[in-house]
Amino acid sequence: MQNIITFLRDLSEHNDRAWFAQNKNRYESALSSFYAIVDKLILAISQFDSTISNLTAKDCTYRIYRDTRFSKDKSPYKTHMGAYICQGGKKSGYSGYYFHIGTGLGTGYPHAHMLASGDYICEPDVLKTLREDICYGDGDFQDIVTHQIAPEFRLDDERLLHRVPAGFPSDSPYSHYLRLRNFCVYYEPDTDFMLSENVVAHSAQLFRTTLPLLQYINRAVAYCKEEAAMGSK
């Protein structure tokens, strides 16, 4: 793990193609270490969530090269490594577990390190279905996010809609959740947590508490996929 963090910190200070080319062997070593961690994490999570048991690290990880076509920041490389572990792989549309190693410097996420669960960018039909489930679910979503998930996690509710979406009662007791833009919880561990020899086991223990949230979201995702498939026939 230390070689990953050290490489990413150095990359954040020398984010250019010449430096990267000269340090390509360090990148490949860091990437290999990250793949090994992710594969171990997949195995640990699969003990309580069988939907991800057939995945490998390559199904869940991302390229380090940034798409700078529409960005004012032309830095060519990300300064973090992340894995999105979810049913069907990172492009499936299902909610999942996100494991992130970074620096808090340079381009990309402001977080140094992060564990997250949920769906950060829900499709519009999934958002609508989730809001219906919350509005008429007798508090089951609220129970999940307030009582079942480990207290280390925080609900991502910093960018709420200004008002309850049209079609939903503004006086709903769950109006706070109806105004969510995404359905995600996150935790920002310190570097000591990430460097612990038990980081995979500890991360899996925390992720396990978020399983009810993922099941809640993925029920809506599966429903919308079925509806779309029926509509295309």
Side-chain angles (χ1 to χ4, degrees):
M1 179 70 79
Q2 183 63 68
N3 68 318
I4 302 172
I5 295 173
T6 300
F7 170 76
L8 292 174
R9 286 176 176 169
D10 290 347
L11 177 60
S12 70
E13 296 178 6
H14 308 280
N15 200 331
D16 61 74
R17 290 181 175 83
W19 184 90
F20 190 85
Q22 293 172 358
N23 291 270
K24 189 69 175 291
N25 61 325
R26 290 182 59 198
Y27 164 65
E28 291 173 347
S29 174
L31 184 62
S32 177
S33 296
F34 186 63
Y35 277 176
I37 292 169
V38 174
D39 279 330
K40 290 178 182 177
L41 187 56
I42 290 170
L43 179 61
I45 292 173
S46 69
Q47 302 305 304
F48 58 84
D49 185 348
S50 61
T51 67
I52 58 91
S53 60
N54 63 333
L55 299 177
T56 67
K58 290 186 178 181
D59 299 316
C60 309
T61 51
Y62 301 88
R63 288 162 51 87
I64 199 167
Y65 308 98
R66 296 181 64 241
D67 183 352
T68 61
R69 290 174 298 171
F70 308 107
S71 174
K72 292 182 179 179
D73 181 357
K74 299 302 181 182
S75 301
Y77 306 106
K78 301 170 186 174
T79 57
H80 65 271
M81 291 185 180
Y84 186 51
I85 302 170
C86 69
Q87 175 182 345
K90 60 183 182 245
K91 296 182 180 181
S92 69
Y94 285 98
S95 64
Y97 314 88
Y98 182 64
F99 181 80
H100 173 109
I101 303 172
T103 62
L105 305 170
T107 64
Y109 292 84
H111 315 284
H113 313 297
M114 181 169 60
L115 307 182
S117 284
D119 198 333
Y120 186 69
I121 304 178
C122 294
E123 295 292 333
D125 56 342
V126 174
L127 269 178
K128 183 176 183 294
T129 301
L130 283 171
R131 287 168 178 157
E132 290 172 347
D133 290 345
I134 291 169
C135 189
Y136 307 111
D138 295 326
D140 48 355
F141 181 81
Q142 179 173 265
D143 178 68
I144 289 171
V145 297
T146 59
H147 296 119
Q148 299 187 42
I149 295 174
E152 286 87 348
F153 285 104
R154 176 178 177 178
L155 182 66
D156 185 7
D157 59 357
E158 297 176 355
R159 299 186 305 112
L160 291 174
L161 297 171
H162 294 301
R163 58 181 63 87
V164 172
F168 296 94
S170 59
D171 60 350
S172 167
Y174 314 115
S175 60
H176 182 82
Y177 304 118
L178 296 176
R179 293 164 55 209
L180 290 171
R181 293 176 183 268
N182 48 65
F183 288 81
C184 182
V185 295
Y186 67 95
Y187 166 51
E188 298 173 283
D190 59 22
T191 298
D192 287 341
F193 176 98
M194 301 303 282
L195 290 177
S196 166
E197 62 181 15
N198 297 316
V199 61
V200 169
H202 289 165
S203 297
Q205 288 171 2
L206 290 170
F207 280 140
R208 184 169 193 156
T209 70
T210 69
L211 180 59
L213 174 65
L214 299 190
Q215 291 173 330
Y216 190 98
I217 299 170
N218 284 337
R219 181 181 64 189
V221 174
Y223 169 79
C224 292
K225 285 180 178 291
E226 290 172 5
E227 289 290 295
M230 290 293 292
S232 64
K233 292 182 179 180

